[in-house]
């Protein structure tokens, strides 16, 4: 993650500094970092994408509702957030549909963290942060994704953070993957490489949740799952704003 991020940031900054680079990008961007990233916009875009996959697979499109503080903005890498939200929504949408509760919306709550008390009492620090382009947003954002998809079995719960662990059995839905005993780690890697766009699967590889947590933890955040077996799940995604590290 780090190597790719540094490379992409360098390329983006270099490209934006060239006279022949074409029309400038959004003013809120510094390289690949959006200093005014709005999680609600990312959630809606990812929700539309995942709902299309659900419609192709199941014939229904789950809905979602955003509450809390949908106008929150903070500094973060949009590509990272898009990947995390997409994977979390895949899990929530799939569980909701397969449990027969597709008419029940997934409730997504956005909460901006209040300023740190130490920052609020340090006038000199406030003045320094005010001069930085990434200092305007909250120090972090927490996103809760709540579904009524039946929850996670206690027998399965210890394995949800394991790479390659999946409860999905339909190998035909995994682009380029083998089935049954023939399926290997290389099949999964090939599927990841070719699984974008219209060929994306709603589930099956077992990489989405642990890799999403790795992305969240890279900037000091994290993911926690609370399951009420027989009812549904709450997934908490905590993100630390890049300007507040």
């Amino acid at each position: 993650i780090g190597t790719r991020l540094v490379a992409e940031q360098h390329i983006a900054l270099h490209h934006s500094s060239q006279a022949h680079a074409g029309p400038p990008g959004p003013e809120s961007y510094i390289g690949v970092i959006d200093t005014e990233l709005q999680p609600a916009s990312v959630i809606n875009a990812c929700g539309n994408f995942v709902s299309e996959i659900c419609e192709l697979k199941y014939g229904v499109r789950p809905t979602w509702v955003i509450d809390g503080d949908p106008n929150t903005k903070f500094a973060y890498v949009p590509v990272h957030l898009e990947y995390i939200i997409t994977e979390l929504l895949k899990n929530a949408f799939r569980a909701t549909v397969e449990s027969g509760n597709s008419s029940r919306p997934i409730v997504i709550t956005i909460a901006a963290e209040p300023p740190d008390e130490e920052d609020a009492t340090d006038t000199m620090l406030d003045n320094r942060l005010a001069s930085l382009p990434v200092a305007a947003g909250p120090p972090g954002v927490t996103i809760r994704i709540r579904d009524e998809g039946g929850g996670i079995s206690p027998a399965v719960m210890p394995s949800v953070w394991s790479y390659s662990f999946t409860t999905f059995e339909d190998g035909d839905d995994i682009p380029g993957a083998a089935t049954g005993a023939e399926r290997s780690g290389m099949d999964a890697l090939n599927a990841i490489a070719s699984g974008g766009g219209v060929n994306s699967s709603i589930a099956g590889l077992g990489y989405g949740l642990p890799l999403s947590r790795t992305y969240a933890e890279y900037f000091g955040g994290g993911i926690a799952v609370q399951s009420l077996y027989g009812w549904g799940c709450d997934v908490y995604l905590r993100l630390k704003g890049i300007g507040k590290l």
Side-chain angles (χ1 to χ4, degrees):
I1 295 175
T3 301
R4 190 182 72 177
L5 181 61
V6 170
E8 291 177 344
Q9 179 73 352
H10 172 77
I11 293 171
L13 290 174
H14 176 74
H15 187 266
S16 64
S17 68
Q18 303 302 303
H20 60 276
E27 294 183 357
S28 62
Y29 272 75
I30 300 177
V32 297
I33 300 170
D34 186 353
T35 61
E36 296 182 0
L37 179 62
Q38 189 173 28
S41 298
V42 176
I43 291 169
N44 284 326
C46 295
N48 288 328
F49 172 69
V50 177
S51 64
E52 289 180 1
I53 300 176
C54 276
E55 188 171 31
L56 290 172
K57 173 64 180 176
Y58 300 107
V60 296
R61 294 173 67 102
T63 59
W64 64 96
V65 175
I66 299 177
D67 63 11
D69 189 359
N71 295 320
T72 293
K73 297 179 181 180
F74 76 129
Y76 207 72
V77 181
V79 175
H80 288 191
L81 182 57
E82 289 167 4
Y83 177 82
I84 296 170
I85 293 296
T86 297
E87 294 303 321
L88 296 182
L89 290 183
K90 281 182 179 181
N91 292 339
F93 281 24
R94 176 195 167 202
T96 299
V97 172
E98 293 186 351
S99 66
N101 290 327
S102 57
S103 62
R104 305 288 295 175
I106 286 85
V107 179
I108 304 171
T109 304
I110 302 173
E113 295 182 3
D116 295 335
E117 293 183 3
E118 294 181 0
D119 290 354
T121 57
D122 189 340
T123 304
M124 293 182 62
L125 179 60
D126 288 343
N127 292 336
R128 291 196 300 271
L129 291 176
S131 65
L132 298 177
V134 294
V141 172
T142 298
I143 301 172
R144 182 187 66 191
I145 300 176
R146 170 171 288 178
D147 67 66
E148 297 181 20
I152 302 172
S153 166
V156 171
M157 194 67 184
S159 302
V160 297
W161 299 111
S162 301
Y163 285 94
S164 295
F165 173 80
T166 179
T167 58
F168 198 69
E169 300 295 338
D170 185 4
D172 291 337
D173 193 59
I174 307 173
T179 59
E182 297 178 354
R183 185 180 173 194
S184 67
M186 186 57 67
D187 291 322
L189 293 177
N190 290 336
I192 288 176
S194 62
V198 296
N199 292 324
S200 293
S201 168
I202 191 64
L205 298 177
Y207 285 78
L209 191 58
L211 193 55
S212 294
R213 185 171 68 169
T214 300
Y215 271 100
E217 291 177 345
Y218 187 78
F219 286 118
I223 297 178
V225 177
Q226 288 188 340
S227 172
L228 184 60
Y229 189 45
W231 183 261
C233 279
D234 284 359
V235 178
Y236 293 87
L237 168 63
R238 184 169 184 263
L239 303 169
K240 295 294 291 182
I242 293 177
K244 292 293 185 179
L245 288 178

